[in-house]
Amino acid sequence: MNSNINTMNMQRQHLRQLEMRQGGVVAVIRYAIYVTLFALFQIQSAHACYFPIEIQGEYVTQSTYVTPSNDIKYSHINITDDAVPIWGHCYRRIGNNVILMIGDEETPCFRCFNFKLVTRNILQVITADADYMSKCYTNDIKVLASCPIEDASSQFMKPHMEITLYKTHNYMGDAIIKEHCPFSDRYRLTYNTDDGFEDKIECSSSSDRISEVSELDSCPSGSQMNLRFKGCSFEDHDIKFDCLGHWTGADNHKYVALMNAKSTGTLGPQYRCAIYESNLDTGDITLTFSNDSTCTHIYRPKPGLIRGMQKKEALRKEMLILHPMPIKSWPDVNFCRFPSFMHGEWQHLTIRPDKIVYKDHTSFKTYTMKCMKNPIPDRYLVLSRSQCGEETYQCIWITRRSHNVLEFQIGLISNKQTFSDDLCSKAHFSETRWITEARIDSNVTSFPCPTTGEYSGVIPDALGLCSRLASDCKSAETMYYDVSACEESEEIYEERIYQCLGEWEENDLHYIYTKRKDIGSFECFVGAKVGDANSEKIYLKEGGENCDRQVNPFKYGMEMNKIAHCNFPPSITHQSVTSNPVINPKHGPNLIQTQSISSPSASSSSSSTLVTEPTQTIRNKIQYSEEEENVIDNFISKSRPSMKVNDETERSHSSANALWKNNQIFIFICIVIFYRILI
């Protein structure tokens, strides 16, 4: 036991040193080496799971404690690699649902939560019980039945409680990075609070005196909203909000999360959530705030809300209406136009026929660029204006990588007085300094991943960790990536789901741009494929969000050997596969193990194909009662649309097959533990 703990500590220290040196691939799987599992799985429990790095960190959430003065108080919540200490340890993950356990397997207490990272700094936690802190289950099958279930539109199918968590520090203990606010122009303000019993507007934007007009802007930083209240029914004062993120909810409303940077002021509690909507005709933006720090208590007009009701029953309405202020006219010239393939919404760009709006997430500046001239193919002279009114002439180089992906860079030289073709000279650009952008509007098209089948290999300098890359043979644009110990262990430390968006080749290297389907971020892989169909291998390394051209996958990447291939009938292509998959439980849908396996993580050199149905895999070798079988069937049938991949329950149960072959004594112990839990 002591040797296991020493090994675990050495792995943690080694990973930290590796992170400092590299970042990249290993940074993505940092917490994987918290191989607490590596020791704890052998010492304590047959069940364990982990939270992605992006979810780990320190949060605050509105406390359920109500003060005599009704002030909003906050509780601090820490999410580690395998636990939410005040709620329990991670026992099992099924899609976004996580079963947490307090106690031990002799006297367990289970609760089920749904974790959804809606932005980098905002985590929404859904539970079916409002009294979740005082209610738990002693049977993991019963808690499974209590899990929140999403339909195809991500709406929850039964009553639930939503908990909003605001991140304050990431998993390393560093302060969070703010986000761009969803609006960056200058506005006049109308502010109104209404509980249904008065018609007075606290702050009007209709004053004829400029000195009495309240304003909002985001200068100098686009991550802040600066509100200056003047001529209102209360004393003049300023409020500054930090933007923590914005997203579109399952109800199709647009949300924004804010933090009062001064922790004081009259505009509500320190953390705010609001719904915002734009009037396309007038340009006005209406923000409707929650009454507290949740995202649920937001005013929405309801039939039957009348003035005759009791005041305590009325829902208080707090609103900001932003009226855009006139902007400086653009020069009277014949503007050029951007190609139609660029038009639409991208990660940080909005491109219209003659205009680009670019939100720089490094400087938190928002630039509006008017197309002035197209002197060289793919390079455009633009007049750029920041949200603070600063103007300069620049050249922007934009190149298409696929229908879903483009890259651009802005010339190193600018001119505040006039524009000239020299600004677009190649000498002012770099072949390695691209910003990669993915399309995020409704025009995204399916793009097949360039790798098919399954690959595995050892992660460089990661002290006994192996990775696995597998394609979804029924959905060509999807691939899976996971990390586990290279030894005979079925423990999965990290599991990711990617949607391929585009691929291109430069200098004999392939660049693959992807979207994380589980958390919504974007990542680039740099790789090369060598060998023939019978002995194929790939070299792969992460290239960051902007496809770093300095990455050398041969020197620093993973060498991954092909261990399984997709089993397509001769006449069937990726796009036409519609039949039920043939499953090898270790490799995933429609994967057949290859004859030659050189990966350390492969547990068998057998070339046979094991066929089993996906809905049966979850049972594995465990015998459930008819009632429990019905619970599982009901849960799987309802939640399957939101589980885009083989869920971890299927993985963990199917792994028992290998363990049965390798260690019958260990399986016997597992069966005893399961029996105790089930009774």
Side-chain angles (χ1 to χ4, degrees), residues 124-277:
Q124 285 186 343
V125 180
I126 306 297
T127 178
D129 298 306
D131 57 342
Y132 63 94
M133 288 301 293
S134 60
K135 183 176 182 179
C136 67
Y137 299 85
T138 58
N139 184 300
D140 59 348
I141 298 299
K142 291 181 179 179
V143 73
L144 184 65
S146 75
C147 288
I149 298 177
E150 298 175 82
D151 60 19
S153 63
S154 296
Q155 294 272 18
F156 288 93
M157 300 171 62
K158 54 186 179 182
H160 62 276
M161 176 180 179
E162 179 180 307
I163 307 166
T164 304
L165 273 61
Y166 299 85
K167 183 176 282 188
T168 58
H169 296 83
N170 65 16
Y171 79 105
M172 293 284 287
D174 300 326
I176 59 169
I177 299 174
K178 309 298 190 302
E179 297 277 357
H180 256 288
C181 298
F183 14 83
S184 57
D185 293 331
R186 295 182 62 204
Y187 302 90
R188 292 179 292 108
L189 289 182
T190 297
Y191 175 62
N192 183 35
T193 58
D194 183 8
D195 57 9
F197 295 90
E198 49 90 10
D199 296 317
K200 183 179 66 174
I201 294 178
E202 281 72 15
C203 205
S204 175
S205 62
S206 60
S207 174
D208 295 330
R209 299 175 58 182
I210 299 298
S211 61
E212 293 184 358
V213 174
S214 299
E215 297 181 357
L216 179 148
D217 64 40
S218 56
C219 186
S221 173
S223 67
Q224 291 184 326
M225 289 168 45
N226 305 305
L227 292 82
R228 287 177 282 274
F229 291 102
K230 302 176 183 177
C232 303
S233 61
F234 44 81
E235 291 185 1
D236 293 356
H237 68 280
D238 298 344
I239 289 180
K240 182 178 294 185
F241 280 123
D242 288 329
C243 292
L244 303 181
H246 56 94
W247 67 97
T248 300
D251 56 3
N252 289 323
H253 284 110
K254 293 182 178 180
Y255 292 82
V256 60
L258 307 168
M259 181 185 74
N260 191 327
K262 296 182 179 179
S263 302
T264 59
T266 62
L267 206 61
Q270 182 180 2
Y271 290 91
R272 305 300 309 268
C273 186
I275 288 176
Y276 66 95
E277 55 183 340

Side-chain angles (χ1 to χ4, degrees), residues 10 104 154 188 299:
M10 289 175 60
D104 54 34
S154 296
R188 292 179 292 108
Y299 172 85

